[in-house]
Structures are given as C-alpha cells and as structure tokens.
Amino acid sequence: MKRSMIRAGAIVLTGGLLVTGSAFAAGTAASPGTMKMSATKINGEVYVKASSLTGTLGGAGTYDASSKTYSYTPPADIPTIISKVSPSVVGIIGKPVNGGDQRYALAHGTGVIMKSDGWILTNAHVVKDMTNITVVTADGKQYSGKTSNVDEVSDLALVKINATKLPVAKFAASPLQAKVGETVIAIGTPVSFSLRNTATTGILSGMNRSVSSFYRLLQTDAAINPGNSGGPLVNMKGEVIGINSMKFVDEGIDNMGFSIPIDTVSYVTGQFFKYDYVKRASLGVGLEESYAAIVGLPTDDGLTVTSVKSESAKKLGVQIGDVLYSVAGHQISSIVELNELLKSYLPGQQIEIMMMIDGDLVTRKLTLTTA
C-alpha cells in the first residue's frame, strides 16, 4: 500500500463533478487532570490568584469592589466558540490556471480574516494557481479578491479584498501555549462550496511534527481534506492556533491531519507586512540528515554537508562531508530544527556554528545568506 501526504488544498470541480473532496472530523475532549495554580495560604485558608484561575482553566472573572465578590464565568462551550469564530472564516473560490476554457472548472478553499480592512489568510497552495478569486464571508457577502503575498515554503498566503469593518479572528499568542489532548475546533469549506463554515471537533494529537514540511506542524485528529485548506484550527478560548494544510492518506489511516502553527503564521505574516515577502536566512550549505533522524529515532547525530553555496561558508573552509552539530548554541539534528531556529535571523547577520571541519571540531562565525 502506498502512503502519501496530500495538501488539503483548493478543491477542484470540473464540469460540476467532484474530483477531490474535503471535510473535518470529530473527536472527544480528554478528561481534565490535576492542574496547579498560584496560591497563598493565610490563617489556614488557601487563596488562589484570580489571574491564575482564568489562565489555567480559561474563562473570565471580574471583581466587584463594592460587594467584595468575584464572579467567574467558565470557558465557553463548543457551540459558543463556533458562533464566535465562524464570522471570521471565509470561503475562497476561483478558476484554476489549468482549468482551460471549461466554464465550470472551479477550485475552492478556506480563509481566515486577519485584518478588518480586507486581509485574508489562507494556504499558498489554495490561491497560487487561482484566478478570478471570489471571497464569500459568513454572512453571504461576495468580494473580488486578489492574491497579495504567497510563500510556498511555509504554505501561507494573503488575499486582499476591498472591505472594511470585517470581523477579525483572534490569533493565539506566539510562542504557542498548547497541550496535546486539548479540544480543538476546525471550521472550513468541505467538498462543496455550499458547505461553507462547516464545523467539527477533535483534539490536538501532537506538536512539533515534521512531515514533508519546512517547519514544524501541529497534528490533529480532525480529518483535513481538500477544500478545508486555509481554515482555522481553534482552541477552546476561541483563538486560532493553526491553519489547516495537509493530511496522511492511506488505507487503514484515519484522522491524521496537520496544521501550520501560529508561531509560523506570525513569523511569515509579519515578514509579509514588513518586507512584502519572507526574508529567509540560510547557512549557505546543503545539508542531509542522518538515517536515525530520517526514520524518527532519537539521535544526537549532526547534519552532513552535501554542498557549499555561500562565500562565507567557503571562506570558513566548509567542505562536502563535514558535519554540523550546533547553531547559535543549539544542538541541531534535523533540518526542520535548523529552519525553526533561523526564523530569528535575517540574511547578512552572523551566527555561531559548531562543525566538524576537515576532522577538527571547531566553532566559527558564519554570515547568513538568503535562502
């Protein structure tokens, strides 16, 4: 049997017939375990800080000084979260570049309203080959859209529409604070464009995954299929923690979907708005992972140099076959680890590397180049 990764990309309809489908899966929340909160003991009584209570359990609280009472509102339930987030989720439909002259050759995906003046976040693979883009908001309004920024490396893109006062999604803070097993909600446009704002629930199945990706991904048991790409993965605070992108496909494999985490979203969109593209830094060398890293075994093996591209690397004497062990004081065993670390740097900056060069373990300063 052949196992493969597929993008949950723009679903393509040709002559009104479905070629590839999409949807989201359901899951159940894990039972809550013991939680620790900041507290103070006074005269035998334990007092929990209100900020610790809401920070740990979610929800909100207010203190009434006149009555000296504290009112606590528990976290919202799933229907409330869906109702809160859905207005910020849009459907994106257009004509694929390779659709030819066929009148009904269409493709669609999902997007998230990022700014109230018409900035829509989605996947790069949804819109990079799409023309005549139309964005439909949750209230049924239609807008002509234009692809503004595309970064295929991260699989993120921005679409701009001429609109104001749009309901903006709330994005989780970066770095993401999340736990495996917590309930997540997916909202998107499965199978048919008429099924916009379909919502289902699941759990966060794993974090820091690297599967056919440049950066780390979130894993969820929500089934992410074509048409749902670009839609949000939402926590129980109503915050977008990821943008859904791909899934595993094979007989016997169920509910293994992957989302781009908010950390990468913040990094890429920040660069979009500042530079209009991603100024991605590189060590200027080609690298290869060890066998252990490739198959997913725990390992301290470094990365082997397969090519030397930058002048800075050449001046350091880096050669094919040398081994990279650490960058900026961080041990590196996988290319995804390196890519994540380099998010904090720009081309032209210097960075400390530790390598085995010509049989000697050395530490050197390397000038980063453009990826």
Side-chain angles (χ1 to χ4, degrees), residues 255-315:
N255 299 346
M256 291 187 67
F258 298 90
S259 301
I260 302 164
I262 194 63
D263 307 76
T264 299
V265 170
S266 298
Y267 164 67
V268 171
T269 56
Q271 298 251 330
F272 279 164
F273 289 119
K274 187 172 184 178
Y275 304 114
D276 206 37
Y277 69 99
V278 180
K279 282 190 175 182
R280 192 169 278 110
S282 168
L283 297 182
V285 297
L287 296 165
E288 181 180 69
E289 297 175 350
S290 69
Y291 170 79
I294 290 172
V295 301
L297 292 171
T299 181
D300 295 329
D301 294 342
L303 303 177
T304 302
V305 175
T306 57
S307 63
V308 183
K309 305 171 184 177
S310 73
E311 289 302 316
S312 179
K314 291 176 182 176
K315 287 179 181 178

Side-chain angles (χ1 to χ4, degrees), residues 63 104 126 131 133 135 161 237 248 283 299 326 337 355 367:
Y63 177 70
Y104 297 105
V126 169
T131 61
I133 295 174
V135 173
I161 62 175
K237 295 179 182 179
F248 265 119
L283 297 182
T299 181
S326 75
E337 287 177 347
M355 296 188 69
T367 301

